[in-house]
């Protein structure tokens, strides 16, 4: 239980520090710089640090701390509730940034800036979290610091099946995100948190259910077991394909690339007559009217 308390303190401290960084940056920096870079970097750092600590609980907790799956899934749900409330509009996910670009909601320079901020935030979180583990504040951190050099791959299936799993998770996540984008925060955040928890339960044993290339790159790309190209196929190509399919299904087209709707026929606002009256019938109606 002491190890769990340390992890809970880690989650609380990470979210609190990131929230202070957001508020300070929002007050001191220009709005464009904050929205395009700092907000994304801080949000991704918060997500990556919590994900790394959560991975310790998932991999070492059951046999070193006696943690059951019900406790771990509850923590996942609560963490994503906190992320949804505190992110201040940040996506912390490269596929969401690419979706905004394809939906003509963001320009190319803005998208590239967000992607660089997300990669930087994830890598910074990885370095800082490993430094925290080196303090060995709990038994789990001690074990993790010893095993960090020889980490194992999170891909526990074939590359093709891993691509399908990550692509399917990303597809459902983005489809839900598109359907809920105009909903109130009080409904959208719990719904997405529940969806992430369900996918973590179903797809976690296969790929750890990242559906976030920046997050996967900071957690597993450096681990032995698969090549960098295989990791890129599963955790980058699969999610991007899933995101594109979700946008196509929701919109019927990719607004950035073409305007023609491929799946849905747009109804005209002008109704055309079903049939054309012949001159004889028109004359008959006129005579009857007289």
């Amino acid at each position: 239980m002491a190890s769990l308390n340390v992890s809970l303190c880690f989650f609380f401290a990470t979210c609190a520090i990131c929230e202070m960084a957001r508020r300070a940056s929002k007050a001191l920096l220009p709005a464009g710089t904050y929205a395009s870079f700092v907000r994304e970097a801080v949000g991704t750092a918060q997500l990556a640090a919590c994900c790394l600590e959560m991975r310790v609980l998932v991999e070492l907790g059951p046999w070193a701390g006696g943690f059951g799956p019900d406790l771990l899934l509850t923590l996942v749900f609560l963490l994503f509730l906190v992320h949804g409330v505190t992110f201040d509009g940040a996506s912390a996910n490269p596929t969401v940034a690419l979706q905004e670009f394809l939906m003509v909601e963001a320009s190319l320079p803005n998208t590239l800036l967000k992607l660089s901020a997300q990669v930087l935030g994830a890598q910074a979180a990885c370095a800082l979290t490993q430094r925290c583990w080196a303090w060995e504040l709990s038994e789990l951190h001690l074990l993790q610091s010893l095993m960090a050099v020889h980490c194992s791959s999170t891909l526990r299936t074939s590359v093709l099946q891993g691509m399908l799993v990550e692509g399917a998770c990303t597809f459902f996540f983005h489809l839900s995100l598109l359907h809920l984008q105009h909903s109130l925060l009080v409904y959208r955040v719990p719904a997405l948190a529940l969806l992430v928890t369900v996918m973590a339960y179903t797809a976690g044993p296969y790929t750890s259910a990242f559906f976030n290339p920046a997050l996967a790159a900071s957690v597993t790309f450096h681990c032995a077991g698969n090549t960098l190209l295989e990791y890129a196929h599963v955790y980058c190509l699969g999610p991007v394909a899933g995101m594109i399919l979700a946008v196509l299904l929701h919109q019927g087209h990719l607004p950035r690339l073409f305007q023609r709707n491929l799946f849905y026929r747009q109804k005209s606002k002008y109704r055309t007559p079903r049939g054309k009256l012949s001159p004889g019938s028109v004359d008959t109606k006129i005579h009857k009217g007289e």
Side-chain angles (χ1 to χ4, degrees):
M1 189 60 66
S3 298
L4 179 61
N5 292 334
V6 172
S7 295
L8 292 177
C9 291
F10 177 87
F11 293 140
F12 178 80
T14 299
C15 295
I17 292 172
C18 290
E19 182 63 21
M20 288 189 293
R22 268 187 291 266
R23 295 191 178 189
S25 303
K26 194 172 185 178
L28 298 175
L29 297 176
T33 304
Y34 169 75
S36 299
F37 189 83
V38 178
R39 183 176 65 181
E40 290 293 334
V42 175
T44 308
Q46 176 180 327
L47 178 64
C50 292
C51 178
L52 287 166
E53 184 67 16
M54 195 67 217
R55 187 187 179 195
V56 174
L57 294 177
V58 170
E59 292 186 349
L60 303 178
W63 62 271
F67 305 148
D70 52 346
L71 172 64
L72 299 175
L73 291 173
T74 302
L75 284 176
V76 170
F77 177 75
L78 293 177
L79 282 174
F80 274 90
L81 276 181
V82 174
H83 294 333
V85 172
T86 61
F87 270 10
D88 193 25
S91 63
N93 191 330
T95 58
V96 177
L98 292 175
Q99 173 193 299
E100 293 173 352
F101 174 72
L102 291 177
M103 298 280 290
V104 200
E105 297 174 356
S107 62
L108 180 59
N110 191 23
T111 302
L112 294 176
L113 194 61
K114 284 185 178 181
L115 293 176
S116 60
Q118 290 163 355
V119 172
L120 180 63
Q123 295 301 323
C126 184
L128 294 175
T129 304
Q130 289 179 353
R131 179 64 60 89
C132 181
W133 289 340
W135 295 343
E136 300 177 358
L137 299 176
S138 69
E139 294 180 358
L140 294 182
H141 285 184
L142 172 61
L143 293 173
Q144 180 60 35
S145 62
L146 294 175
M147 298 169 57
V149 182
H150 306 287
C151 64
S152 58
S153 172
T154 57
L155 181 60
R156 305 179 189 91
T157 184
S158 64
V159 174
L160 179 59
Q161 187 174 359
M163 287 179 61
L164 294 175
V165 170
E166 286 292 308
C169 289
T170 309
F171 171 79
F172 288 116
F173 176 75
H174 280 267
L175 194 61
S176 302
L177 192 65
L178 289 167
H179 278 290
L180 296 171
Q181 60 183 340
H182 299 301
S183 302
L184 295 176
L185 190 69
V186 69
Y187 301 123
R188 183 172 69 251
V189 171
L192 292 176
L194 180 61
L195 176 65
V196 171
T197 305
V198 171
M199 290 192 296
Y201 175 74
T202 55
Y206 302 101
T207 63
S208 292
F210 287 116
F211 49 93
N212 185 326
L215 193 60
S218 64
V219 173
T220 195
F221 274 28
H222 61 284
C223 296
N226 294 92
T227 65
L228 182 61
L229 184 61
E230 290 174 337
Y231 283 134
H233 276 88
V234 173
Y235 295 110
C236 295
L237 186 59
V240 170
M243 178 271 295
I244 292 175
L245 287 177
V247 174
L248 280 173
L249 184 62
H250 185 265
Q251 295 293 118
H253 65 113
L254 299 176
R256 176 68 67 175
L257 301 181
F258 47 86
Q259 296 297 324
R260 182 183 177 185
N261 201 307
L262 302 179
F263 297 148
Y264 312 116
R265 294 182 60 184
Q266 296 181 349
K267 295 182 179 180
S268 175
K269 61 181 179 180
Y270 301 107
R271 297 184 63 181
T272 56
R274 294 185 178 180
K276 187 177 180 181
L277 296 175
S278 61
S281 62
V282 174
D283 295 334
T284 304
K285 288 186 177 181
I286 292 175
H287 292 308
K288 286 182 179 180
E290 293 176 351

